[in-house]
């Protein structure tokens, strides 16, 4: 007979809780503190600051898409309105020592702006879910972006609104010592961005552990059952929508301090689409997925755009590939890789994955040649794609041989490896 008197562990152990819930944030904080010690260049500081802003933006979006199952095409509205309010506050706050603390509080003001916008817009929007909600968010995004060009006194028209984050810092003395932290150098702004990236990430993770965060997942998976046990799915969606808009406003406040300017472009469909890509490519099922997506896509946006005019095309290909072959995103790939190493038969599994990756890279190399040659040909400037010093003009048979042979060989190898796996 089973001894029912023995205690049964229904939840994770304390070690597992520390490992899964606390340790990742300690590592995250350690990385943020360690980065300046590595002496990054000004370019890298600029890139890292943009990554921090996009991490907060993408995590706030995943509160809607990943947790509540709400596909929004207008999340930049809350990012932009929070940022605009923070930018106005930057100009309103007087030049005093109190303002030093005020500049660090601008993301809080952004949170208030984003949450207020979420409360107003979410009331009618959250009455629907699924495709109707997505269409409503698209319409609201167009509405607010258009209004930004009409109400010039509020949004500054095409030129936007600018501010000066340094006006409080000349000079500042605390406890008899002059503070060298001026928010002028980009390295000073890094600490501001790193602080709020960490705080906002912790708060959004904590939100997922609350009863409301848990219930949003239940509403996403089965709203009828959630309503059966006494929860109103519409109210749950509405509250999550407000919180998501508030944290998007935090990102807007961080962007206001970092860039010192906000324009109607920040409210447009472009950032709304970009945040969707960051969250989905990173992996909406995992909390760390949008963080990974924000890092990768911000790097692509900042670095690849300098090497190729077709970087947006590569971004589209990456998105399609993730949707078709890795729906759990980059985070899902990392988790599958770790689990694959832990499970029996890891050597054979890793060998198969390595072969498949190599075959995919061979096909990708040929595809890159086709894209780069086609882009230079269509521009009509006479430019020639020259990888590793080898000229590949569009009219040369060698060019298409170099492009098509790797594509065919890579696809054939992928098919062969897949067949062996199925056998």
């Amino acid at each position: 007979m089973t001894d029912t008197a023995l205690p049964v562990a229904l939840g994770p152990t304390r070690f597992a809780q520390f490992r899964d819930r606390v340790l990742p944030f300690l590592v995250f904080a350690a990385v943020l503190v360690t980065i300046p010690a590595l002496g990054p260049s000004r370019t890298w500081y600029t890139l890292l600051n943009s990554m921090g802003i996009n991490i907060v933006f993408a995590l706030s979006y995943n509160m809607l898409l990943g947790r509540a199952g709400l596909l929004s095409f207008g999340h930049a509205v809350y990012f932009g309105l929070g940022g605009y309010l923070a930018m106005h506050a930057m100009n309103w706050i007087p030049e005093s020592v109190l303002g030093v603390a005020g500049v660090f509080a601008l993301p809080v003001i952004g949170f208030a702006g984003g949450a207020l916008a979420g409360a107003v817009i979410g009331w009618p929007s959250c009455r629907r879910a699924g495709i109707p909600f997505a269409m409503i968010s698209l319409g609201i995004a167009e509405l607010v972006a258009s209004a930004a060009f009409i109400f010039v006194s509020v949004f500054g028209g095409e030129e936007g609104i600018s501010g000066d984050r340094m006006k409080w810092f000349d000079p500042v003395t605390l406890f008899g010592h002059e503070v060298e932290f001026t928010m002028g150098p980009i390295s000073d702004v890094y600490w501001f961005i790193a602080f709020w990236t960490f705080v906002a990430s912790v708060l959004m993770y904590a939100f997922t552990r609350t009863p409301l965060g848990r219930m949003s997942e239940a509403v996403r998976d089965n709203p009828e059952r959630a309503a059966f046990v006494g929860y109103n799915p519409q109210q749950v969606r509405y509250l999550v929508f407000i919180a998501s808009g508030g944290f998007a406003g935090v990102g807007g406040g961080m962007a206001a301090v970092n860039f010192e300017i906000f324009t109607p472009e920040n409210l447009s469909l472009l950032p709304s689409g970009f945040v969707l890509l960051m969250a989905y490519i990173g992996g909406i099922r995992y909390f760390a997925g949008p963080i990974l997506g924000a890092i990768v896509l911000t790097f692509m946006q900042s670095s690849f755009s300098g090497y190729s005019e077709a970087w947006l095309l590569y971004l589209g290909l990456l998105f399609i590939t993730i949707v078709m072959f890795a729906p759990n995103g980059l985070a899902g790939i990392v988790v599958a890789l770790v689990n694959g190493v832990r499970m029996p038969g890891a050597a054979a599994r890793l060998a198969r994955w390595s072969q498949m990756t190599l075959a995919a890279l061979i096909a990708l190399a040929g595809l890159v040649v086709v894209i780069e040659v086609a882009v230079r040909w269509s521009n009509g400037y006479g430019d020639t794609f020259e990888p590793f010093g080898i000229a590949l003009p569009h009219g040369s048979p060698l060019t298409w041989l170099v492009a098509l042979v790797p594509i065919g060989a890579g696809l054939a190898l992928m098919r062969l490896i897949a067949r062996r796996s199925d056998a």
Side-chain angles (χ1 to χ4, degrees), residues 8-26:
V8 179
L10 298 178
T13 63
R14 288 185 178 275
F15 174 75
Q17 291 179 359
F18 175 81
R19 181 196 59 199
D20 298 338
R21 302 173 185 175
V22 179
L23 185 60
F25 286 106
L26 293 179

Side-chain angles (χ1 to χ4, degrees), residues 153-228:
S153 60
V154 177
F155 298 99
E158 293 184 359
E159 297 179 355
I161 296 176
S162 58
D164 180 11
R165 65 174 181 248
M166 295 178 59
K167 67 180 184 180
W168 301 286
F169 292 90
D170 187 27
V172 175
T173 303
L174 293 176
F175 307 110
H177 299 281
E178 185 172 336
V179 178
E180 296 182 357
F181 190 84
T182 64
M183 287 288 283
I186 196 71
S187 56
D188 287 359
V189 182
Y190 168 82
W191 288 110
F192 169 83
I193 297 292
F195 171 78
W196 277 109
T197 301
F198 181 77
V199 170
S201 300
V202 171
L203 290 177
M204 280 186 272
Y205 179 76
F207 181 86
T208 65
R209 309 298 304 175
T210 63
L212 177 60
R214 294 293 192 188
M215 189 48 60
S216 67
E217 298 178 19
V219 169
R220 173 200 63 193
D221 295 335
N222 196 330
E224 291 79 12
R225 180 164 294 181
F228 181 77

Side-chain angles (χ1 to χ4, degrees), residues 80 84 148-149 155-161 261-268:
Y84 263 109
F149 288 101
F155 298 99
E158 293 184 359
E159 297 179 355
I161 296 176
I261 186 171
F262 241 79
T263 66
E265 187 178 350
N266 296 109
L267 296 158
S268 67

Side-chain angles (χ1 to χ4, degrees), residues 291-316:
I291 298 177
L292 196 57
I295 293 173
V296 172
L297 265 65
T298 306
F299 182 79
M300 288 183 66
Q301 185 183 36
S302 301
S303 301
F304 282 14
S305 59
Y307 292 103
S308 174
E309 298 178 30
W311 80 272
L312 280 174
L313 196 151
Y314 294 123
L315 178 60

